[in-house]
Amino acid sequence: MFCSLALIGLLCGCRAQTDGLVFVGETDGRSGNGAGAAGNGAEAGQESENGAESTADSSALPSEEAPRIYVYVCGAVNCPGVVELPEGSRAEAALKAAGGFREDARTDYVNLAARVGDGEKLYFPTVEEKTEFSQESRENALININTADEETLCTLPGIGISKARDILHYREENGPFESCEDIMNVPGIKTSVYGKIKDGIRVD
């Protein structure tokens, strides 16, 4: 009987120990899955951070700016001096950059629709100044019908889009005008129209 009791006690002790066992393989598997998920999350976070840095780097790149020109504006303007403008600007933009007309300015002397070039000088006279300017100054205020584009030609009195395009077409077919009067060779531009524009045009 003593032997039987000892055997029963031994079996119970073994069962208790078996119930308290921890299976290392299963625990390692679970821990491995958790570590793997954490690793994947870290890698995803790294990729996201790299992507953000790449986007930030590309957005920080400077964009290409339009070419700039410098024009000297002087005379009866509020802020005379050299102004910086985008290439292809008109005299009106140069005037605004120089603060606009002074109160004593003669506002009808310079053609504000004419394009200005790099290094050009724009002089705005006063109403009290003499009108006997040099021939060069007078010519600079006129529109060159051999080089003017469609928009500039449309600033002439009596010249709309249709006539401006006719002038450009005539130049392409026949070459530059030799005199201002030759513009009357363009269809639709006769004596009446020429009388309106003759004081505002020139040829080189």
Side-chain angles (χ1 to χ4, degrees):
M1 180 177 293
F2 178 78
C3 292
S4 298
L5 292 173
L7 180 60
I8 292 172
L10 180 61
L11 292 174
C12 290
C14 291
R15 180 179 179 83
Q17 292 178 5
T18 303
D19 292 340
L21 289 177
V22 177
F23 294 94
V24 177
E26 294 181 1
T27 303
D28 289 347
R30 289 193 297 271
S31 298
N33 291 339
N40 292 338
E43 293 176 0
Q46 184 66 30
E47 292 176 0
S48 176
E49 183 178 353
N50 291 340
E53 291 178 358
S54 176
T55 302
D57 291 343
S58 62
S59 62
L61 294 176
S63 58
E64 185 178 354
E65 295 184 357
R68 313 290 289 182
I69 62 172
Y70 296 88
V71 179
Y72 177 40
V73 185
C74 55
V77 294
N78 289 311
C79 301
V82 176
V83 299
E84 180 181 358
L85 302 167
E87 188 176 47
S89 295
R90 311 266 175 190
E92 182 182 22
L95 172 64
K96 289 181 179 178
F101 287 120
R102 285 199 325 236
E103 292 184 359
D104 59 342
R106 180 178 174 181
T107 60
D108 61 346
Y109 180 74
V110 175
N111 179 14
L112 297 181
R115 294 186 187 275
V116 292
D118 186 45
E120 186 172 339
K121 175 182 177 181
L122 280 180
Y123 181 78
F124 294 91
T126 66
V127 292
E128 295 180 357
E129 284 182 286
K130 295 180 179 181
T131 58
E132 292 82 9
F133 293 97
S134 66
Q135 182 65 26
E136 182 180 358
S137 297
R138 288 197 298 270
E139 289 181 352
N140 287 336
L142 305 178
I143 291 178
N144 187 342
I145 57 176
N146 281 329
T147 59
D149 60 12
E150 178 182 312
E151 187 176 355
T152 303
L153 289 170
C154 286
T155 63
L156 292 168
I159 302 296
I161 294 178
S162 178
K163 285 186 174 64
R165 290 177 178 174
D166 288 340
I167 294 172
L168 297 178
H169 180 71
Y170 180 89
R171 283 191 339 217
E172 292 174 357
E173 294 292 326
N174 302 278
F177 298 103
E178 295 183 1
S179 66
C180 293
E181 290 82 1
D182 286 344
I183 199 171
M184 288 189 289
N185 294 329
V186 178
I189 300 180
K190 299 305 178 186
T191 306
S192 59
V193 175
Y194 178 70
K196 297 177 182 178
I197 66 175
K198 66 179 182 178
D199 294 329
I201 61 175
R202 65 185 174 95
V203 295
D204 288 342

